[in-house]
Amino acid sequence: GAGVSQSPSNKVTEKGKDVELRCDPISGHTALYWYRQSLGQGLEFLIYFQGNSAPDKSGLPSDRFSAERTGGSVSTLTIQRTQQEDSAVYLCASTRTGLRVDSPLHFGNGTRLTVT
Amino acid sequence: AQSVSQHNHHVILSEAASLELGCNYSYGGTVNLFWYVQYPGQHLQLLLKYFSGDPLVKGIKGFEAEFIKSKFSFNLRKPSVQWSDTAEYFCAVNAENAGNMLTFGGGTRLMVKP
């Protein structure tokens, strides 16, 4: 596709359930980022991938959060045993080669997660 | 660790007023700086960026930002805002020792009254 695609666009789940969020980056983009946008909290960095590996996992809030990327393309963010504080918009972004002047970050529309 | 502060959380202006949104970062070395904008119902998009060279950077839609290294600042400006500039604005920094990590500020919600 032409842009970063995230699915689902909205997800409502019960506390304690597991959820899986998907991101399809722009074709050929090697770097992929996950951010969380909570009301009044700005964008919180979660994790980024260079190819299939994640050089920095420091942003993951807890061990309930995990992410993987396969084939240098699709990434999934999994949240186990969801809590109400996990409610937020989860944003994915990709860039062709990393943060270079000619390689801007492209964002998807996000997945709005609501934990009831 | 790099961090970014946007001190103005909400700004309300009338059309044609001048705009300046503050952005300060904490890292003392070389940085790349960005402003992103999120219009209502749309995804985040790049407004402008600074990597090197002229510290006064011009972006889309008449926006500009000035990198002042001594003040660790990268404030966003526009001489005359329009109603269509109503959006949330995010400053972001990538420090030279942070690889490809991009850290965002908390955002500033701008409302322009017609």
Side-chain angles (χ1 to χ4, degrees):
Chain A
V4 177
S5 176
Q6 291 186 248
S7 60
S9 54
N10 278 286
K11 175 72 177 179
V12 180
T13 190
E14 291 181 350
K15 178 181 172 181
K17 301 280 189 185
D18 297 351
V19 295
E20 195 172 275
L21 312 180
R22 177 186 168 107
C23 172
D24 276 280
I26 293 172
S27 179
H29 279 197
T30 61
L32 184 148
Y33 298 73
W34 283 99
Y35 287 89
R36 179 167 70 175
Q37 186 175 22
S38 305
L39 194 63
Q41 297 294 316
L43 272 77
E44 177 188 3
F45 169 80
L46 297 178
I47 191 170
Y48 91 91
F49 290 91
Q50 189 64 45
N52 290 335
S53 63
D56 193 326
K57 300 181 181 179
S58 62
L60 294 175
S62 74
D63 58 6
R64 296 187 294 105
F65 286 71
S66 63
E68 65 174 17
R69 189 179 185 195
T70 55
S73 181
V74 172
S75 176
T76 53
L77 177 69
T78 302
I79 309 172
Q80 296 178 309
R81 305 181 303 281
T82 52
Q83 304 294 312
Q84 288 186 329
E85 61 263 29
D86 299 335
S87 296
V89 176
Y90 289 82
L91 292 170
C92 177
S94 71
T95 182
R96 187 161 48 85
T97 56
L99 293 173
R100 293 159 51 100
V101 64
D102 57 347
S103 183
L105 214 57
H106 295 264
F107 280 87
N109 286 328
T111 293
R112 182 176 297 277
L113 175 66
T114 303
V115 182
T116 62
Chain B
Q2 57 191 22
S3 66
V4 183
S5 295
Q6 292 181 244
H7 303 293
N8 312 106
H9 299 293
H10 290 89
V11 174
I12 301 174
L13 295 173
S14 298
E15 275 195 316
S18 64
L19 169 73
E20 180 160 2
L21 302 181
C23 172
N24 288 91
Y25 62 92
S26 63
Y27 183 68
T30 300
V31 291
N32 300 315
L33 297 157
F34 307 78
W35 276 97
Y36 281 81
V37 60
Q38 188 171 29
Y39 297 103
Q42 296 186 28
H43 61 268
L44 277 154
Q45 55 187 285
L46 182 67
L47 201 54
L48 50 77
K49 59 183 183 282
Y50 171 82
F51 275 71
S52 63
D54 189 343
L56 184 61
V57 179
K58 294 195 184 296
I60 59 172
K61 304 187 181 185
F63 285 91
E64 65 179 31
E66 185 175 12
F67 170 48
I68 303 179
K69 190 172 182 179
S70 61
K71 294 185 178 180
F72 301 93
S73 69
F74 190 55
N75 292 355
L76 181 71
R77 300 195 294 249
K78 185 170 183 178
S80 176
V81 293
Q82 301 173 309
W83 174 78
S84 58
D85 293 324
T86 294
E88 189 159 15
Y89 293 81
F90 293 91
C91 182
V93 63
N94 165 241
E96 65 176 341
N97 69 343
N100 285 314
M101 175 134 66
L102 187 62
T103 301
F104 283 82
T108 298
R109 286 187 180 272
L110 171 66
M111 179 183 293
V112 180
K113 298 184 293 183

